[in-house]
Amino acid sequence: MVSSCTDESSSTSESFSPPTATATKFSAPPLPPSGSGGSNVVLDSKNGVETDSRKLPSSKYKGVVPQPNGRWGAQIYVKHQRVWLGTFNDEEEAAHSYDIAARKFRGRDAVVNFKTFLTAEEDDNGELCFLEAHSKAEIVDMLRKHTYAEELAQSNKRNGANTNTTTQNDTVLRTREVLFEKVVTPSDVGKLNRLVIPKHQAEKHFPLPSLSVNKGVLINFEDATGKVWRFRYSYWNSSQSYVLTKGWSRFVKEKNLRAGDVVTFERSTGSDRQLCIGWKIRSGLSKNPVQVVVRLFGVDIFNVTSAKPSNVVDACGGKRSREVDMFALRCSKKHAIINAL
DNA sequence: CCGTGTGTTGAT
DNA sequence: TCAACACACGGG
């Protein structure tokens, strides 16, 4: 079940910026009175040592931290930054959430609290694919909202119901007609948060209803992972150009698009005629050589051009691999690295 | 008012 | 990376 996911661990930087929500639905916890209040000091009967009761009990689980109200928080560190995974009533629940995140962020070999669920081959596959099929941000969001189990179950349910094909290989069956491609410019991936669509292509494939010319319309595009991207599409009189605006920068960020990369606009040939969007690293500069550009914090460190014929590095809707970042992780000072190179 | 989750620090 | 700790912030 190779499915469409290529990139080993996939994904890069994503924004995990859920609103500072409160405990979300779930069952209201019958909280123990625990030290929400006073600054009492308790005497430990065994050794007569003073123990401050305010001190929170540490968890035996990795990635789990105590909360002042007796609940447990889960967190994982990625690229020197903490990613908050939510708060939970049970220590174990928090630990499990950490495990899931660890697998998503660090792959199947991640060190986790409960080895159990990551050994099986068959049963586990469903979860592996599920993890593959969702972005890190989505997984984190599910964990924080305590909806992971539910969504996983639903996903499995869907797959189980469809006996017609293999597991998740509908992406293989789904054929797409390429409408056009664009080599993105620096400004397409810059701070302008817009992608200019060549006029000819725009008018040919994305005609704007005359009424909407000014306000623009929202268009959904599905990427190779099945994720749907919604962009505002409109015409800018000032520059007399068609552009994708709102939502575009998210795509650039998640896919880590760089100037020179190619964005592909496709349309499903199926009955749904779903619009799709794909991307590849650099265009076939010259026919075939594969170009491996190693970038560190946006700086091209080196640039290997192999003799291998296989054309463009297709990102498969996944995300640009980040070997370099893996390396970078080990160093604390960005500039130190750059200078060192 | 209360809990979450961030800011921060020090240790591994 | 990681957990401990303090507490600012935001929801109710």
Side-chain angles (χ1 to χ4, degrees):
Chain A
M1 16 240 87
V2 188
S3 86
S4 63
C5 356
T6 34
D7 255 11
E8 70 286 52
S9 64
S10 77
S11 167
T12 7
S13 54
E14 289 167 36
S15 56
F16 307 97
S17 53
T20 11
T22 38
T24 38
K25 43 192 160 185
F26 231 44
S27 51
L31 292 180
S34 125
S36 61
S39 49
N40 14 6
V41 171
V42 172
L43 193 63
D44 186 304
S45 56
K46 287 183 180 175
N47 47 26
V49 170
E50 263 189 351
T51 301
D52 196 329
S53 69
R54 286 170 306 180
K55 187 177 167 84
L56 296 167
S58 50
S59 174
K60 57 188 168 209
Y61 297 112
K62 188 175 169 62
V64 177
V65 292
Q67 288 297 90
N69 56 355
R71 301 183 78 214
W72 300 89
Q75 62 186 24
I76 187 170
Y77 285 81
V78 175
K79 294 189 178 182
H80 299 300
Q81 277 201 309
R82 169 176 49 205
V83 174
W84 187 253
L85 306 173
T87 51
F88 306 84
N89 294 328
D90 298 329
E91 204 176 344
E92 287 72 21
E93 199 185 350
H96 189 235
S97 288
Y98 171 85
D99 287 2
I100 293 163
R103 292 239 288 167
K104 178 61 189 174
F105 283 90
R106 299 169 184 169
R108 75 188 64 198
D109 294 327
V111 177
V112 293
N113 294 300
F114 307 109
K115 195 68 184 172
T116 53
F117 90 119
L118 51 83
T119 42
E121 310 250 325
E122 346 77 48
D123 195 357
D124 201 36
N125 262 334
E127 187 156 4
L128 278 177
C129 282
F130 181 77
L131 284 176
E132 285 283 341
H134 294 80
S135 71
K136 290 170 182 174
E138 286 172 321
I139 296 296
V140 168
D141 200 55
M142 290 180 220
L143 294 176
R144 292 177 73 147
K145 289 178 176 165
H146 299 193
T147 60
Y148 177 84
E150 182 187 329
E151 299 221 26
L152 173 60
Q154 256 179 19
S155 163
N156 284 332
K157 202 171 172 182
R158 276 197 296 276
N159 290 328
N162 268 338
T163 328
N164 50 13
T165 62
T166 21
T167 30
Q168 309 210 314
N169 293 345
D170 20 277
T171 42
V172 174
L173 303 176
R174 189 175 303 154
T175 52
R176 293 169 174 181
E177 151 201 16
V178 173
L179 300 177
F180 65 93
E181 297 184 328
K182 183 187 182 188
V183 176
V184 298
T185 65
S187 56
D188 285 335
V189 296
K191 294 171 184 172
L192 296 174
N193 182 25
R194 63 102 177 98
L195 170 76
V196 171
I197 297 186
K199 198 161 195 169
H200 178 255
Q201 305 295 358
E203 291 175 345
K204 179 176 177 184
H205 302 290
F206 308 140
L208 266 177
S210 53
L211 278 178
S212 318
V213 170
N214 292 322
K215 305 203 61 178
V217 294
L218 293 177
I219 307 184
N220 290 337
F221 293 89
E222 190 176 308
D223 72 14
T225 69
K227 179 168 180 174
V228 175
W229 296 85
R230 169 172 292 187
F231 305 122
R232 174 184 295 284
Y233 171 60
S234 58
Y235 181 73
W236 281 355
N237 286 313
S238 56
S239 52
Q240 305 218 314
S241 53
Y242 292 90
V243 290
L244 290 184
T245 55
K246 190 169 186 293
W248 174 247
S249 63
R250 286 188 152 281
F251 185 82
V252 170
K253 190 176 176 189
E254 174 164 324
K255 306 305 186 187
N256 199 200
L257 277 190
R258 302 293 165 82
D261 291 347
V262 178
V263 175
T264 310
F265 291 91
E266 301 154 19
R267 166 163 260 139
S268 161
T269 55
S271 54
D272 56 351
R273 307 230 78 205
Q274 168 68 52
L275 288 171
C276 304
I277 186 169
W279 63 280
K280 345 183 205 190
I281 295 177
R282 298 273 160 160
S283 66
L285 293 174
S286 53
K287 323 307 172 227
N288 43 23
V290 159
Q291 216 188 37
V292 178
V293 180
V294 178
R295 287 168 175 142
L296 182 56
F297 301 106
V299 177
D300 285 9
I301 301 303
F302 61 82
N303 209 317
V304 182
T305 303
S306 88
K308 290 284 183 177
S310 62
N311 43 16
V312 176
V313 180
D314 193 307
C316 179
K319 293 140 189 184
R320 191 186 295 267
S321 51
R322 308 305 237 98
E323 304 84 352
V324 197
D325 281 6
M326 291 304 290
F327 164 70
L329 281 182
R330 305 205 171 84
C331 315
S332 52
K333 294 291 181 186
K334 301 176 183 179
H335 295 302
I337 305 168
I338 293 173
N339 292 334
L341 294 168

